[in-house]
Amino acid sequence: MKKKDFISIADSSIADLANILEQAHRLKKQPGLHAGLLAGKSMALIFQKPSNRTRVSFETGIFQLGGNAIYLAPDDISLGKREPTADIARTLSRYVGGIVARVFVHQDLLELACYADVPVINALSDLSHPCQALADIMTIQEKFGKLSGLKFAYIGDGNNMTNSLMLACAKTGMHIAVATPAGYLPDPVFVSKARACAALTGAQVTLTRSPAEAAAGAHVLYTDTWVSMGQESETEKRLRDFKGYCIDRALTDLADKDYIFMHCLPAHRGQEVAADVIDGPHSVIFDEAENRLHVQKAVMVFLYT
Ligand code: CP
Ligand code: NVA
């Protein structure tokens, strides 16, 4: 059987995504399901950037599926510096049953996937964060009991989260409105892919400069940091450029009365979100964080069966 990877939501069919989500809900109810899936297998976790949720949820999920996680910190294998990425992929394939990688440059993930004989999972790159987007979709299903026809508003930086969320919304029939300042649009390739998927599901993908327009009537209000990992030197400029894009009470007042607030975390209270919104009764941020565990286990079930 040809090995499968999980690099982008774009690579999964609508049916595969639906299956992974169903599996994730089953695993949440019965964490012991598929307990022997990874028996005898080690998984290499290559992290070029820091992580709380992704590392701990993967290590825990791999353990629950009977496998063993080997965490490789930035300086351990020095991806792309100490030896060619292709050699790392081919070497690791001789030891482990899979590679989970968080990288600065998306191309490195593609290279790992191309040269590894074992599944490669995207644990965040500069371009996308598919595991987080899937956990977010699972959370919306839990809260609303449906996806199709809901309005999802993303307000802030058009970054890796935005790219994956646009695809995830479009593929599951949710309308997505993205509000970013000039110069911070999501990746145009992801916008056109999302629009192509939306044409199949009846969803809409809208880009605007206006947070109020995006928030109007929205069921989901979502934001992410204005300064992603690797962009620290741009902090001052970004904090200036994103003024007016904070999700605060003035914006939540425009949303549907049963709206939920979402954030992939880590969050910055007083920057992309007001403290009374993220810590308020509509916030589901820790459900999203928990669902990383269930959805990633479901992704591994998908890749290994
Ligand atoms: N949301 C997320 O990926 O968190 P970490 O960076 O802590 O893994
Ligand atoms: N956009 C953020 C997501 C963190 C989970 C970053 O890349 O740092």
Side-chain angles (χ1 to χ4, degrees), residues 241-257:
D241 291 350
F242 284 101
K243 222 164 159 272
Y245 284 80
C246 173
I247 300 192
D248 56 14
R249 291 290 291 277
L251 268 188
T252 63
D253 282 350
L254 303 174
D256 185 86
K257 69 174 178 29

Side-chain angles (χ1 to χ4, degrees), residues 57-114:
S57 58
F58 263 110
E59 289 207 19
T60 304
I62 290 164
F63 171 75
Q64 290 180 1
L65 294 172
N68 169 55
I70 301 174
Y71 174 72
L72 297 161
D75 289 340
D76 286 336
I77 57 172
S78 301
L79 193 72
K81 289 188 206 140
R82 188 162 175 265
E83 58 185 321
T85 302
D87 287 357
I88 291 176
R90 289 180 287 203
T91 303
L92 288 177
S93 299
R94 300 294 178 102
Y95 306 131
V96 301
I99 299 171
V100 176
R102 168 168 284 195
V103 300
F104 280 104
V105 181
H106 190 78
Q107 183 60 29
D108 285 340
L109 264 179
L110 299 179
E111 211 169 321
L112 284 172
C114 174

Side-chain angles (χ1 to χ4, degrees), residues 102 124 129 159-161 224-225 228-229 264-266:
R102 168 168 284 195
L124 180 147
H129 197 5
N159 60 15
N160 45 6
M161 271 319 315
D224 182 17
T225 182
S228 283
M229 291 179 278
C264 58
L265 304 178

Side-chain angles (χ1 to χ4, degrees), residues 16-17 56 99 107 156 266 270 282 284:
D16 284 347
L17 287 181
V56 178
I99 299 171
Q107 183 60 29
H282 293 265
V284 299

Side-chain angles (χ1 to χ4, degrees), residues 50-55 102 129 132 229 264-266 292:
S51 170
N52 171 7
R53 282 146 290 273
T54 308
R55 177 182 174 183
R102 168 168 284 195
H129 197 5
Q132 179 69 52
M229 291 179 278
C264 58
L265 304 178
R292 293 292 303 276

